[in-house]
Structures are given as structure tokens and as C-alpha cells.
Amino acid sequence: MNFLSLFRLSVVTLRHHKSRSFLTTLGIIIGVMTVITILSLLEGLNRKIKEEFSTLGSSTIYIQKMEWQVGPGRHRLDFEELRKRPNFTVEDAEALAKLSSIEAAVPSIDKGVGTIKRLGNEAQNCQLKGTAEGGDLTGNWVVAEGRFITREDRLHRRLVCVIGSYIAENLFGAENPLGQTLDVDGHRYFVVGVLEEKGAMFGQTQDNVLIIPVSTYLKYNPLPRGWRAIWGGLSIEALPKPGVVLEKAMEDVEELLRLRRGLRYDQDNDFGLNTQQMIMTALQGITSTLWIVMVGIAAISLIVGGIGIMNIMLVSVAERTREIGIRKAVGARDRDIMIQFLMEAVVLALLGGLIGIIVGIGIARLVSVLVKFLDAASPWWTIALGFGFSAAVGIFFGIYPAQKASKLNPIDAIRYE
């Protein structure tokens, strides 16, 4: 009997016991469903995070007073030491920009400005950002209309601004914003550029930004002091030149900053070099751990389901003992009997796996609809993994009943009542 015939025979046998077959596969269904649901949500979460981080500029180096505390190796922060660290200056950024490995290095500082008004129109929860020429490269901003901040804007402390699409839409509507004015903190700024829509990041829009020259920002907004300077002071964004490895650019930046600050060879850095890759690596570590934990939990259901399959196959062998004897009497080999029962166990497990995959994908899609930030993704390998788990369980737990059936003596089997 060939493989296809055995498969058909297995399906026919299972159809004769629909309720029993379905109940037997419940453990497999729950196990595979759990695996598929978790994998789909984690895969969707990873893709979403990568997509949203890409809007910031994946290669940008964020030079700040402190290192981001993400992932393994975190240490207790010494806030007193952090508070004493020297502030960054515009001159630091200008020096970094001259490095051969750096495409652009700009000072950066921002704060929330609440509501921006213009002729009765309002844009709420806006972000005021001070930067310099090249800030569009380090921040991955694309100017849709007009221009970005220039060196002359910065040197002359001009009251000019580049606005995000949210502000443009809310304050100007269909009107062209270029050359128009708006009021921010009691100062009137001329709009010289409008940014392309960037979308939301972690549920927060990035299009409510209003960018001005950093010199203008510092003229009207004194630098924070004390503890607030750790997070709210001037920082620097640096972008490596195309073709330069990020680690090489970071080494150059570190070396120059240590030199400018007069740090001895045995002194630790009094600044932090941060990249998005640090967050990505930490998040991938978390999702990998979650994956392992959830697969471990799902494995319990798969084992329970496998034991159910083995039990029901042993019952099936007992019920069909005479059938086995007759088949052997007319020439069936031990191997044929074993393959037949093993095939039934695998088909039973795959049936449960198929239902589990369908239900798991459905649950993942439902969760992504209810939770806006989560996008479910079910690539082919998650489905293959679900079928792989099911087949492995069917084979592992089906071997013993199949062997028992194949070893039956045909004469004793025919006489079996």
C-alpha cells in the first residue's frame, strides 16, 4: 500500500470517529494555537518597532550626558556624578562635524510648548526643537516644501521655523504656510519649511514638531540646571558618512570628545554614546525570552495532546486487533501495519495543528485590531513551525501504539474477541 493510500485510509478511519478524534486533538489545538498567536504578535511587534525606529534614522548617534539604560549590563545610576558632567556646546558639535567619518553633527535640544496659535487656529501638544543645519539628516526629516534650517539662520539667531505636517494642517489648512507667521511662547516665527508626514511612533505623532535654529532656541530658553540638565540639556546628534561602519564613527566621536574634555586614559567617559541599535537589541532580547517562555508553556499542551493521541491510538489498536490479524493473514507486513497506525497518529496531530494554526492566526489578528499598536504578522515559517510541532508530536507519541500493532501475532489477533 503506497503513501497516498495509507493517508486516505487514515482519513477515512478518523472520519468514522469524528467526535473522538476532535476531542483527542484538543491538546494539540491549544498548544499550536498558543505558539502561533504568540509568534504572530511578537513578529508583528518586532516589525512595528523596526519600522517606527527607521523613521528616526537608524544610524544616528545620540551623544548625551548619560547612557541609555537598556538591556543586560545596566548599572545603578549615580545621579550626583551625572549632574556634575559638563554640558555639551555648539562648538562640540562643530568639532565633531569635521571628523572624516561623520556626515553631520548638530546640537539638539527640545521641549514641549503646549499649544501654538495663529489667527484663532490651534495646534496642541507641540514639540519645540532647536537644531542646526544638517539636523534634517540626523533626524531623518524630509522637507516637503521650502527649506530646512541653514547656517545663516543659526548664526544670526533668526526667528524662522520648519513645521511638521500636523501643525501645517491645523494652523494653515489649505493655505500655503511658507512666509506666514505663527506665535510660540510670545515670539513670532516665519515659516520657511514644511516637513513630510512622518507618522506616529509608539502611538505618539512625530508631526507636531516645530524646528527652529538652536541659537534662537537658547536665546529665549535658558538651559536647565541641576538634575533637569541630565535629560533636558543640549545634546548632539551625529550621522556617520555613507559606507562608514557605525562602530568606527562611534570610536572617532568618543576619541575626540575625550580629547576635548581632557580625560586621562584611566578615566571613564563623562558622556554617553547611544544608538537605536541598543534599544533594538534589548527589545529583541526581551521578545526572544518571551518566545522561549511561551513556547515552553505551549509545549505542556502539546505533550498533553500527544499523550491523548497515544492513548486513543492504543484504544484503536485494541478495537481493530482482528482487522490487523486479517490484514497480516492476507500478506500485510509488520512495516505496513506500523506505517498505517503511525500515519493515523500523524494525521490526527496535523488535523489538530491545522485547526490550531487557523484559530491562532485569528486570535492574533483580533488582538491587533483591539490594540492599535500591535500588528499581527504570520510569516510562512510560523505556519511551518506549527505543522512541524504537530507532526513531531504525532510521530513521537504514535510510535508506541504503531509498534504494538505491528508486533501482533496474526493467529492470536484473528482469535481476539
Side-chain angles (χ1 to χ4, degrees):
M1 191 176 289
N2 59 33
F3 179 83
L4 186 59
S5 300
L6 284 171
F7 179 77
R8 286 175 178 169
L9 180 61
S10 301
V11 172
V12 170
T13 304
L14 295 176
R15 286 180 62 184
H16 288 163
H17 304 90
K18 293 178 182 175
S19 298
R20 189 172 76 178
S21 300
F22 175 73
L23 293 174
T24 302
T25 59
L26 269 180
I28 304 291
I29 293 173
I30 294 172
V32 172
M33 177 193 73
T34 305
V35 171
I36 294 298
T37 302
I38 298 301
L39 286 181
S40 298
L41 291 176
L42 289 180
E43 180 67 14
L45 180 63
N46 279 332
R47 290 186 181 185
K48 185 76 174 178
I49 290 171
K50 288 180 182 176
E51 178 185 329
E52 298 205 346
F53 268 108
S54 68
T55 64
L56 294 177
S58 58
S59 300
T60 302
I61 305 167
Y62 300 91
I63 306 158
Q64 298 165 316
K65 275 199 171 186
M66 61 177 287
E67 300 82 5
W68 293 346
Q69 300 300 299
V70 294
R74 289 177 296 177
H75 56 273
R76 179 171 293 181
L77 293 175
D78 183 347
F79 287 101
E80 186 59 25
E81 188 271 332
L82 288 174
R83 188 180 67 82
K84 292 179 180 176
R85 290 184 172 186
N87 296 320
F88 294 105
T89 63
V90 174
E91 289 71 26
D92 287 331
E94 290 175 339
L96 291 174
K98 295 176 182 176
L99 287 171
S100 60
S101 58
I102 295 299
E103 176 77 11
V106 298
S108 176
I109 188 168
D110 54 46
K111 70 169 188 173
V113 292
T115 302
I116 299 175
K117 297 181 179 179
R118 176 186 176 271
L119 301 177
N121 295 326
E122 292 185 355
Q124 298 179 341
N125 300 320
C126 297
Q127 194 76 13
L128 180 65
K129 183 179 180 68
T131 186
E133 64 279 11
D136 51 337
L137 299 176
T138 59
N140 200 28
W141 299 105
V142 178
V143 178
E145 298 178 65
R147 61 173 176 83
F148 198 72
I149 302 298
T150 64
R151 175 181 169 83
E152 287 68 30
D153 293 334
R154 176 172 62 85
L155 293 178
H156 297 293
R157 299 181 180 181
R158 289 173 178 164
L159 288 167
V160 296
C161 66
V162 179
I163 58 176
S165 59
Y166 168 82
I167 296 176
E169 182 179 340
N170 282 272
L171 295 188
F172 299 98
E175 188 180 354
N176 186 356
L178 297 182
Q180 304 291 335
T181 61
L182 47 76
D183 295 325
V184 183
D185 290 341
H187 303 287
R188 181 162 295 180
Y189 290 84
F190 285 88
V191 179
V192 296
V194 180
L195 300 171
E196 278 189 3
E197 183 177 349
K198 208 170 187 181
M201 183 172 184
F202 301 122
Q204 299 293 321
T205 180
Q206 302 178 77
D207 300 311
N208 60 347
V209 66
L210 186 143
I211 300 175
I212 64 176
V214 65
S215 53
T216 309
Y217 183 103
L218 296 175
K219 179 179 178 181
Y220 298 115
N221 300 276
L223 285 170
R225 297 178 180 276
W227 306 109
R228 292 192 304 142
I230 298 175
W231 298 279
L234 197 69
S235 62
I236 299 173
E237 297 174 358
L239 183 70
K241 282 186 176 175
V244 175
V245 178
L246 181 61
E247 288 72 18
K248 172 67 170 63
M250 291 179 71
E251 287 177 7
D252 291 348
V253 168
E254 181 180 8
E255 184 179 350
L256 181 57
L257 283 179
R258 286 183 63 86
L259 187 65
R260 288 179 63 82
R261 296 186 171 210
L263 295 175
R264 297 193 309 270
Y265 73 94
D266 57 347
Q267 283 184 293
D268 293 331
N269 290 340
D270 57 0
F271 55 87
L273 300 182
N274 303 299
T275 64
Q276 294 170 40
Q277 190 60 39
M278 295 164 61
I279 297 178
M280 291 296 299
T281 303
L283 288 174
Q284 285 173 350
I286 293 171
T287 54
S288 297
T289 303
L290 280 174
W291 187 86
I292 293 171
V293 171
M294 295 311 299
V295 168
I297 294 172
I300 297 174
S301 296
L302 291 172
I303 292 172
V304 172
I307 293 173
I309 288 177
M310 185 169 64
N311 183 52
I312 208 67
M313 290 308 299
L314 287 172
V315 172
S316 180
V317 170
E319 289 175 345
R320 295 155 62 189
T321 299
R322 292 195 65 188
E323 173 193 326
I324 296 169
I326 293 172
R327 286 199 60 200
K328 284 196 166 187
V330 297
R333 298 167 296 180
D334 290 354
R335 188 180 64 180
D336 297 329
I337 302 297
M338 182 170 179
I339 292 175
Q340 177 189 345
F341 278 87
L342 193 57
M343 178 68 76
E344 289 182 17
V346 172
V347 169
L348 198 58
L350 287 176
L351 177 65
L354 177 62
I355 298 174
I357 288 170
I358 295 172
V359 176
I361 291 175
I363 292 176
R365 295 292 165 85
L366 179 62
V367 171
S368 67
V369 170
L370 297 176
V371 183
K372 288 185 178 178
F373 176 71
L374 281 176
D375 282 339
S378 305
W380 65 269
W381 61 266
T382 60
I383 296 172
L385 196 64
F387 277 118
F389 275 139
S390 306
V393 168
I395 293 171
F396 185 80
F397 289 95
I399 286 178
Y400 175 65
Q403 278 186 332
K404 188 174 181 180
S406 67
K407 299 299 180 186
L408 286 175
N409 183 290
I411 297 175
D412 294 338
I414 292 173
R415 291 176 178 174
Y416 181 80
E417 294 293 337

